[in-house]
Amino acid sequence: MFKRTSAIARKFDLQGSVIYLGFIAIFLFFAITLADDGFLTTRNLSNIVLQTAPATIMAIGLVFVLSAGEIDLSFGSIVAVAALAAAVVMQEHSMLFGILAGLGAGLAIGWINGMMVAYLRLPSFLVTLATMGLFAGVARSMTDLRSIPVLSDTFTGFFGSGSVFGIPSLVLWTLAAVIVGHLVYRESRFGAHVIATGDNARAAQVSGIKVPRIRLAVLMISGGCAGLAGLLYAGRLQAAKYTLGESDLMTVIAAVIVGGTALNGGKGSVIGALVGSLLMGMLNNGLILMGLSVSDQMIVRGLIILLAVAISLRDTTRA
């Protein structure tokens, strides 16, 4: 009997299940306590999905980075630079050049991070901490702290307020990113190499995996995802400002960790990151409806990150 119970306990993946159990529990809590405050209205629930779209895109990129055993703290600054680059370019050129400028900025910063981590062998934590501050300053200096309007209706429709067959474009972008990210992570050789690198970089190198290339690639993916998130922000808000992405660091990291991606690499989930992002969006929405201040919301998010880290580390170190 004891052996059977132990076998069942081993099969139950706490880290893999906590996100779904937590999502259901928090949803039911808000549904009951905020039933008279509009939480369950279609408009409010759709707003949660739309507002979390950029964070979900960033979370997908971070899944690859953490799974490879690295970290990226600069994606919030990349969002602002990408959005501003797109908005500035579109003032003088076509939408296509604006899109290329935004995505190109994200990929370029990701390449800079990746080259320093992969080939100069600098710690990704310190590299991306430095570039986070560096490009936050760049974003502020690009337009002298001014907001840049996005006047292209085509752009704002494509990346923000538009829809296809009644489905908002932000939802379509999210679904496309999740599907592509999940397939690459779970079904491709590259995804297997990312996981192997994060699990044991030395063993991966011996087996023939180009570990530096993997590290460069995942940081470029993170930069590219942040660049796309910047375009979504600019499209939804119809403007770009240096503050875009500034408050997303905690939210995105929490979404990824709660979603089942291990901090020490070798394990991750794109689907879990999606659910984690929706959970964080729902949590923010519910706390606002409850009348909590911004500082109280930050405290709650911090506690969730602590809980997720504790579960993640315990899951990866248990016998």
Side-chain angles (χ1 to χ4, degrees):
M1 183 67 180
F2 177 76
K3 291 182 178 179
R4 183 178 179 182
T5 304
S6 299
I8 294 174
R10 284 195 298 269
K11 290 181 181 179
F12 182 77
D13 183 2
L14 177 61
Q15 185 187 8
S17 303
V18 68
I19 178 60
Y20 306 105
L21 297 175
F23 185 90
I24 294 171
I26 293 175
F27 179 83
L28 291 176
F29 172 77
F30 286 140
I32 295 170
T33 59
L34 299 173
D36 298 329
D37 296 309
F39 177 78
L40 288 177
T41 61
T42 302
R43 181 176 182 179
N44 185 62
L45 295 178
S46 63
N47 280 338
I48 292 174
V49 176
L50 296 178
Q51 289 169 359
T52 57
T56 300
I57 302 294
M58 287 182 273
I60 292 170
L62 192 59
V63 167
F64 283 88
V65 175
L66 288 179
S67 295
E70 304 297 337
I71 184 66
D72 185 2
L73 302 176
S74 65
F75 55 82
S77 298
I78 295 174
V79 167
V81 171
L84 286 168
V88 169
V89 169
M90 282 191 292
Q91 288 187 324
E92 301 292 338
H93 303 282
S94 67
M95 182 185 81
L96 176 61
F97 285 103
I99 294 172
L100 292 176
L103 293 178
L107 290 170
I109 298 173
W111 180 83
I112 292 171
N113 288 336
M115 290 297 290
M116 288 191 286
V117 171
Y119 296 102
L120 296 183
R121 298 185 179 181
L122 300 176
S124 57
F125 177 85
L126 296 179
V127 168
T128 58
L129 180 65
T131 54
M132 176 180 69
L134 170 64
F135 289 103
V138 169
R140 283 160 170 76
S141 64
M142 284 177 69
T143 58
D144 196 24
L145 305 183
R146 291 182 296 109
S147 176
I148 305 299
V150 176
L151 303 178
S152 171
D153 292 335
T154 304
F155 180 89
T156 57
F158 193 62
F159 288 103
S161 59
S163 62
V164 178
F165 300 115
I167 304 175
S169 58
L170 287 171
V171 174
L172 294 176
W173 278 110
T174 301
L175 290 175
V178 169
I179 291 171
V180 172
H182 178 74
L183 291 176
V184 172
Y185 188 81
R186 290 295 181 190
E187 305 297 334
S188 72
R189 178 179 295 181
F190 173 76
H193 288 181
V194 169
I195 295 172
T197 298
D199 187 50
N200 190 323
R202 182 170 296 180
Q205 187 80 50
V206 171
S207 67
I209 296 174
K210 305 296 184 182
V211 171
R213 292 184 184 178
I214 295 297
R215 289 171 173 161
L216 172 62
V218 296
L219 284 164
M220 288 188 67
I221 289 172
S222 181
C225 287
L228 176 57
L231 297 182
L232 296 181
Y233 268 128
R236 185 168 186 267
L237 301 176
Q238 300 182 11
K241 195 175 182 181
Y242 68 91
T243 55
L244 292 179
E246 202 170 54
S247 61
D248 287 328
L249 183 62
M250 280 185 63
T251 299
V252 173
I253 291 177
V256 173
I257 297 173
V258 171
T261 298
L263 278 171
N264 53 356
K267 182 180 180 181
S269 172
V270 171
I271 303 299
L274 167 64
V275 179
S277 179
L278 290 174
L279 185 148
M280 297 306 298
M282 179 175 63
L283 187 65
N284 290 337
N285 180 270
L287 294 176
I288 291 172
L289 291 178
M290 291 179 70
L292 270 68
S293 65
V294 174
S295 58
D296 291 333
Q297 296 173 42
M298 293 175 66
I299 290 171
V300 173
R301 284 198 298 267
L303 291 174
I304 289 177
I305 293 175
L306 285 175
L307 178 62
V309 169
I311 293 173
S312 174
L313 294 180
R314 182 175 181 179
D315 183 78
T316 54
T317 58
R318 66 184 178 181

